[in-house]
């Protein structure tokens, strides 16, 4: 708002006898043949006809109102009274308006831009319409810098991105007022975001009511360096599921003691002690890790049921081992298809020839063949699935490209044949069951513990069915898978009972479902002992959580008395 100085607009009478002073101080006469007369102002009702009152023409009077007291005016914004004697003019009024803390232009002097947003509005007759409402947006250098730092982190951009010519030209068009930071400043901004997020997560862990489940994994990079990643899964006080990587660090080696101590130090830094389970793969060193953490949690007095069910085997990793054992019999067919895909994707010229073969065979597909990672069987499944769709295009390529034939002959088994394609065609529906189960187990935005029993024992029944398959190769593959399956899930005493408790808490399954599954998949004596122990551990776990809660917060009193004569008494009704 531009404020202008007061300008007097009164008309003056200039007569012939009036004089003015020139630059040298001499007087000279000025003449004006015409006299401009101001029309007389009619007196108001409150003024006396004999008293002449000048009209208030200054813009500053618009911010004040009369108080009934002579030479005193009241500000309409802050109700403060200011002296307004004629001898001082309107300067006191102007000075007060420019410094008034209740006057809107003085509250926020930042420049605003009008932005429009659409909102739904319900009228009186019940109809709903979309209206456009203006909203104010103000330029803030710090907020934009923080958003820029988050963009660098989320999109995994280099810090030098902010100094590139294209980005700077783009920002000049978007907002010329934004001062683009250097790469060093952007680095500091990203680190400040990390510190802020770490502080927020620390506060969440400090006030967390539930327990935390950990997953950890280690691997060796191409530079022969060992790394460890530790991830925390928890449900916050608002019942929202979270997945947070709380540590990613290099380690000296893959021994169980080193990994266990690294996990312990990380938990100490975060102040995190309320751990429920630790999920690891089936490496032998992880048994040492779990034993070390059991001692640590027991010392912290934060373990549940003395850490009996702390060790959680990664179901996706076990499925990976099961499938890889089964695929060993038809590995030659998979190698030939992998070599075909690798040849096509090795150069743009070869890929262009392959696309031409696709057009000649009139295969309509927006996707192309994809490479796999040999240690990840689910990527192998995706490669085989995509290759089957282009079987005719591959055959056409082998007829026209002699270099492809020459290269494939160096592979064990020679060129790919119809039998190889048939083996893969029969195998794909079987592998899809494992692929879907692995995808469900690997989910991080939903709880997976309640699906464990249903998926695992369902896969066991599928493998049993394929052991009677008429195709001999499929039957032998299923038998190998069954042996590996029994190694991890065939002994009921080695199963983590927390997975079964999660199923009991699922309203779709309940206690009767667990009894049926266990009795269907294990011998009678082993199944009965497992059900008995599961019932006891569920009651013990309930008592553990009940003792940690204030009595006034317990809505329903449930007796913890336990009848050893009938393990199913009352429990089936409750659960």
């Amino acid at each position: 708002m531009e404020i202008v100085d007061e300008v007097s607009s009164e008309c003056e009478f200039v007569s012939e006898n009036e004089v003015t002073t020139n630059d040298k101080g001499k007087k000279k006469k000025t003449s004006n043949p015409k006299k401009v007369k101001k029309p007389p102002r009619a007196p108001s009702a409150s003024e006396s006809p004999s008293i002449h009152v000048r009209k208030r023409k200054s813009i500053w009077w618009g911010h004040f109102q009369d108080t009934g007291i002579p030479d005193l005016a009241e500000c309409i914004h802050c109700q403060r009274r200011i002296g307004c004697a004629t001898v001082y003019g309107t300067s006191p009024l102007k000075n007060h308006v420019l410094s008034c803390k209740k006057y809107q232009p003085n509250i926020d002097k930042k420049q605003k831009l009008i932005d429009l947003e659409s909102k739904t509005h319900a009228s009186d007759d019940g109809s709903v319409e979309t209206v456009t409402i203006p909203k104010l947006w103000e330029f803030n250098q710090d907020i934009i810098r923080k958003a820029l730092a988050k963009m660098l982190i989320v999109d995994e951009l280099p810090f030098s991105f902010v100094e590139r010519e294209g980005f700077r030209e783009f920002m000049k068009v978007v907002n010329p007022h934004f001062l683009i930071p250097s790469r060093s400043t952007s680095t500091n901004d990203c680190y400040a975001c990390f510190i802020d997020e770490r502080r927020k997560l620390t506060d969440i862990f400090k006030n967390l009511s539930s327990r935390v489940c950990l997953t950890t994994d280690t691997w060796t990079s191409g530079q022969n360096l060992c790394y460890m990643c530790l991830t925390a899964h928890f449900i916050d006080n608002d019942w929202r599921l979270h997945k947070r990587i709380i540590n990613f660090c290099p380690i000296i080696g893959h021994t169980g003691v080193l990994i266990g101590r690294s996990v312990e130090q990380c938990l100490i830094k975060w102040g995190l002690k309320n751990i429920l389970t630790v999920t690891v793969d089936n490496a032998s060193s992880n048994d040492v890790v779990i034993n070390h953490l059991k001692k640590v949690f027991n010392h912290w007095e934060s373990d549940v049921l003395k850490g009996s069910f702390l060790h959680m085997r990664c179901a996706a990793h076990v499925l990976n081992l099961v499938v890889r054992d089964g695929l060993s019999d038809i590995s030659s067919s998979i190698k030939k298809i992998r070599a075909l895909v690798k040849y096509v994707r090795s150069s743009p010229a070869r890929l262009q020839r392959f696309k031409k073969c696709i057009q000649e065979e009139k295969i309509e597909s927006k996707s192309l063949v994809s490479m796999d990672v040999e240690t990840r069987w689910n990527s192998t499944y995706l490669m085989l699935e995509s290759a089957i769709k282009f079987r005719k295009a591959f055959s056409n390529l082998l007829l026209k490209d002699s270099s492809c034939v020459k290269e494939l002959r160096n592979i064990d088994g020679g060129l790919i044949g119809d039998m190889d394609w048939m083996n893969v065609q029969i195998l794909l529906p079987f592998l899809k069951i494992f692929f879907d189960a692995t995808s469900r187990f690997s989910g991080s935005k939903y709880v997976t513990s309640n699906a464990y029993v249903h998926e695992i024992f369902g896969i066991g029944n599928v493998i049993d069915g394929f052991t009677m398959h008429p195709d001999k190769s499929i039957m032998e593959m299923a038998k190998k898978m069954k042996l590996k399956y029994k190694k991890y899930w065939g002994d009921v005493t080695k199963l983590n009972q927390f997975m079964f408790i999660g199923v009991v808490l699922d309203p779709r399954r309940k206690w009767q479902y667990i009894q049926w599954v266990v009795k269907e998949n294990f011998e009678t004596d082993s199944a009965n002992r497992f059900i008995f122990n599961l019932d006891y551990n569920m009651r013990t776990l309930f008592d553990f959580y009940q003792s940690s809660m204030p009595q006034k917060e317990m809505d329903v009193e449930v007796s913890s008395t336990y009848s050893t004569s009938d393990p199913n008494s009352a429990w089936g009704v409750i659960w």
Side-chain angles (χ1 to χ4, degrees):
M1 173 181 176
E2 184 180 359
I3 302 174
V4 295
D5 294 332
E6 178 187 6
V7 179
S8 176
S9 60
E10 291 187 0
C11 297
E12 297 180 355
F13 293 93
V14 182
S15 62
E16 295 180 355
N17 297 326
E18 288 183 15
V19 295
T20 59
T21 305
N22 58 13
D23 296 338
K24 297 181 179 180
K26 297 180 180 181
K27 296 181 180 179
K28 65 178 181 178
K29 291 184 179 181
T30 58
S31 62
N32 190 355
K34 294 183 180 179
K35 296 182 179 180
V36 181
K37 295 184 179 180
K38 181 180 178 181
R41 179 175 61 86
S44 61
S46 59
E47 298 176 355
S48 174
S50 60
I51 301 175
H52 175 72
V53 180
R54 296 177 61 188
K55 183 179 180 181
R56 297 173 175 175
K57 296 185 178 181
S58 175
I59 61 174
W60 306 111
W61 282 110
H63 300 276
F64 293 87
Q65 60 186 0
D66 292 332
T67 59
I69 302 175
D71 299 336
L72 199 63
E74 183 179 277
C75 177
I76 62 175
H77 307 293
C78 64
Q79 286 74 46
R80 182 180 175 181
R81 294 187 176 186
I82 304 296
C84 58
T86 307
V87 65
Y88 301 112
T90 58
S91 295
L93 306 182
K94 172 185 175 182
N95 294 335
H96 173 75
V97 172
L98 295 178
S99 61
C100 181
K101 296 182 179 181
K102 296 293 184 67
Y103 184 38
Q104 183 63 33
N106 296 334
I107 296 175
D108 190 358
K109 295 183 179 181
K110 294 182 180 180
Q111 185 180 7
K112 297 290 192 301
L113 298 178
I114 296 179
D115 191 9
L116 301 177
E117 61 179 347
S118 297
K119 289 186 177 181
T120 56
H121 174 70
S123 57
D124 297 337
D125 57 356
S127 60
V128 179
E129 59 179 352
T130 302
V131 295
T132 302
I133 301 176
K135 63 177 182 179
L136 294 179
W137 175 86
E138 72 177 68
F139 171 78
N140 191 308
Q141 176 78 13
D142 296 334
I143 294 178
I144 300 178
R145 273 180 53 181
K146 188 174 181 180
L148 176 61
K150 288 185 176 180
M151 182 190 73
L152 296 176
I153 296 171
V154 173
D155 294 337
E156 300 179 359
L157 298 172
F159 296 123
S160 60
F161 177 79
V162 297
E163 296 181 353
R164 294 179 180 175
E165 182 180 358
F167 176 73
R168 290 185 174 272
E169 291 295 330
F170 173 74
M171 290 307 302
K172 286 180 182 179
V173 177
V174 172
N175 195 330
H177 300 288
F178 177 60
L179 301 178
I180 302 176
S182 63
R183 67 172 71 185
S184 300
T185 305
S186 299
T187 304
N188 295 332
D189 291 344
C190 292
Y191 184 72
C193 288
F194 165 73
I195 296 298
D196 185 51
E197 293 297 327
R198 185 174 63 178
R199 179 187 56 79
K200 292 179 182 179
L201 187 58
T202 303
D203 295 339
I204 292 176
F205 285 152
K206 187 181 298 183
N207 303 318
L208 192 62
S209 301
S210 62
R211 287 188 169 263
V212 179
C213 295
L214 300 178
T215 58
T216 182
D217 194 14
T218 58
W219 66 92
T220 303
S221 67
Q223 294 81 13
N224 204 25
L225 298 175
C226 302
Y227 293 93
M228 184 193 74
C229 181
L230 186 65
T231 309
H233 307 262
F234 60 94
I235 298 176
D236 62 12
N237 297 334
D238 295 327
W239 292 93
R240 291 176 298 187
L241 182 65
H242 294 270
K243 173 188 174 182
R244 296 288 185 271
I245 296 177
I246 60 177
N247 196 19
F248 185 90
C249 63
I251 56 177
I252 301 176
H254 291 284
T255 61
V257 177
L258 291 174
I259 298 174
R261 289 177 180 175
S262 299
V263 174
E264 177 187 358
Q265 292 300 320
C266 177
L267 297 179
I268 292 174
K269 289 181 180 179
W270 285 99
L272 192 58
K273 295 184 178 181
N274 52 336
I275 305 300
L276 182 64
T277 60
V278 179
T279 303
V280 293
D281 58 24
N282 295 281
S284 58
S285 59
N286 286 327
D287 295 335
V288 181
V289 175
I290 297 299
N291 292 330
H292 177 79
L293 293 179
K294 281 183 180 179
K295 297 177 183 178
V296 172
F297 297 154
N298 187 23
H299 176 70
W300 291 347
E301 297 181 353
S302 61
D303 53 349
V304 178
L305 301 182
K306 298 181 180 180
S308 302
F309 307 106
L310 179 67
H311 188 187
M312 189 72 64
R313 297 184 183 274
C314 180
H317 185 258
V318 175
L319 281 179
N320 183 37
L321 297 177
V322 171
V323 177
R324 286 176 64 183
D325 269 21
L327 293 180
S328 60
D329 284 344
I330 60 170
S331 59
S332 61
S333 300
I334 297 176
K335 285 181 179 179
K336 294 175 184 178
I337 296 179
R338 182 182 292 122
L340 266 175
V341 175
K342 186 176 180 180
Y343 176 83
V344 168
R345 303 298 298 241
S346 60
S347 69
R350 293 177 178 180
L351 184 60
Q352 191 63 32
R353 287 198 295 267
F354 181 68
K355 289 182 178 179
K356 187 176 181 180
C357 294
I358 294 175
Q359 294 177 356
E360 291 176 356
E361 297 296 335
K362 298 180 180 180
I363 300 175
E364 295 182 0
S365 178
K366 295 182 179 180
S367 61
L368 285 174
V369 289
S370 59
M371 288 293 297
D372 71 325
V373 181
E374 296 185 23
T375 56
R376 296 179 58 190
W377 79 268
N378 51 348
S379 65
T380 303
Y381 165 78
L382 294 176
M383 180 200 68
L384 297 176
E385 184 186 36
S386 61
I388 285 292
K389 294 187 293 185
F390 301 102
R391 176 179 174 179
K392 293 183 178 179
F394 279 121
S395 301
N396 191 0
L397 181 66
L398 291 173
L399 292 175
K400 296 182 177 180
D401 194 345
S402 59
S403 60
C404 179
V405 176
K406 183 178 179 180
E407 188 170 328
L408 293 179
R409 281 176 178 171
N410 298 326
I411 302 174
D412 297 338
L415 293 174
I416 188 170
D418 293 336
M419 185 60 65
D420 298 317
W421 289 110
M422 189 179 300
N423 289 337
V424 174
Q425 187 74 44
I426 297 174
L427 182 65
L428 277 180
F430 184 43
L431 291 181
K432 190 176 189 310
I433 300 172
F434 293 89
F435 177 80
D436 293 339
T438 303
S439 300
R440 286 190 288 267
F441 280 143
S442 303
S444 60
K445 296 183 179 180
Y446 53 87
V447 179
T448 57
S449 59
N450 59 329
Y452 176 86
V453 174
H454 178 72
E455 294 289 343
I456 293 302
F457 290 104
I459 287 176
N461 293 331
V462 171
I463 295 176
D464 288 338
F466 274 86
T467 55
M468 306 300 294
H469 198 275
D471 188 274
K472 187 176 179 180
S473 60
I474 299 296
M475 181 181 65
E476 293 297 329
M477 181 188 65
K479 287 182 179 180
K480 281 194 173 185
M481 288 184 175
K482 189 64 178 179
L483 291 175
K484 182 66 74 171
Y485 177 90
K486 286 185 176 181
K487 178 181 178 180
Y488 294 102
W489 293 315
D491 189 356
V492 70
T493 60
K494 296 182 180 180
L495 299 178
N496 194 317
Q497 294 188 4
F498 273 172
M499 294 290 93
F500 293 84
I501 294 176
V503 178
V504 173
L505 298 177
D506 190 342
R508 299 169 296 177
R509 307 298 181 188
K510 294 295 185 179
W511 177 250
Q512 291 81 359
Y513 176 78
I514 291 297
Q515 290 179 307
W516 173 78
V517 168
V518 173
K519 291 180 180 179
E520 283 289 323
N521 291 275
F522 300 101
E523 296 179 357
T524 304
D525 294 339
S526 300
N528 290 333
R529 284 195 299 269
F530 181 82
I531 293 173
F532 181 89
N533 294 330
L534 181 62
D535 178 82
Y536 175 78
N537 289 326
M538 289 175 67
R539 293 177 183 273
T540 307
L541 185 64
F542 178 83
D543 292 339
F544 172 81
Y545 280 105
Q546 185 184 25
S547 62
S548 63
M549 294 179 62
Q551 190 64 29
K552 61 180 181 180
E553 295 184 8
M554 299 297 295
D555 297 329
V556 181
E557 292 185 1
V558 181
S559 175
S560 61
T561 56
Y562 173 61
S563 174
T564 57
S565 60
D566 185 7
N568 301 329
S569 61
W571 197 252
V573 177
I574 296 174
W575 299 104

